[in-house]
Amino acid sequence: MNSTIIIAIVAALILVALAVFFILKNKSSKEMECPIDLDRLIQALGGIDNIVDVETTPSTLKVKLKDQSQLPIDEIKALGASGIVQGADTLTMIFGKASYLIGENLRKSL
């Protein structure tokens, strides 16, 4: 009788551990999903070949571009940027908390 109880407890602990593992794994994969349409952002930035570098801060995404003469600023704002600042060869977009995830996914695409 004692061995049956021990086996049941061990089986229950294994099931709980597996459940926690799968819940945490699912949560972390959802966190890494890009919150915007990354393909549309890349296209709006002139394509992969136009993007030289990507930097992020807690609230901004800054990209260095080869050419920014024809950037559709309204389209980038429509993707969720609350503000955009154009520099000589950079474009800084304010995406808030999503900036880091967008930047990480953009780096992976380069």
Side-chain angles (χ1 to χ4, degrees):
M1 176 113 167
N2 287 337
S3 62
T4 306
I5 293 173
I6 292 173
I7 291 173
I9 291 172
V10 170
L13 289 174
I14 290 172
L15 288 174
V16 169
L18 286 172
V20 169
F21 171 77
F22 285 114
I23 289 169
L24 292 176
K25 183 180 178 187
N26 190 26
K27 182 180 178 185
S28 67
S29 67
K30 283 184 180 179
E31 288 176 356
M32 289 306 293
E33 289 178 7
C34 192
I36 66 166
D37 186 342
L38 193 63
D39 291 332
R40 280 184 55 203
L41 178 62
I42 291 170
Q43 193 172 28
L45 295 173
I48 290 288
D49 295 334
N50 195 41
I51 302 169
V52 177
D53 192 27
V54 178
E55 296 177 31
T56 58
T57 68
S59 62
T60 64
L61 171 64
K62 183 177 183 178
V63 292
K64 185 174 182 179
L65 302 170
K66 292 178 185 174
D67 177 28
Q68 58 175 322
S69 61
Q70 301 293 323
L71 293 178
I73 300 300
D74 290 336
E75 186 175 333
I76 296 169
K77 284 184 179 180
L79 288 169
S82 61
I84 296 175
V85 177
Q86 283 185 282
D89 62 350
T90 61
L91 185 71
T92 303
M93 300 158 281
I94 302 169
F95 282 106
K97 294 177 183 178
S99 296
Y100 178 77
L101 282 176
I102 296 167
E104 287 300 305
N105 282 285
L106 188 55
R107 279 188 200 95
K108 289 177 185 175
S109 296
L110 296 180

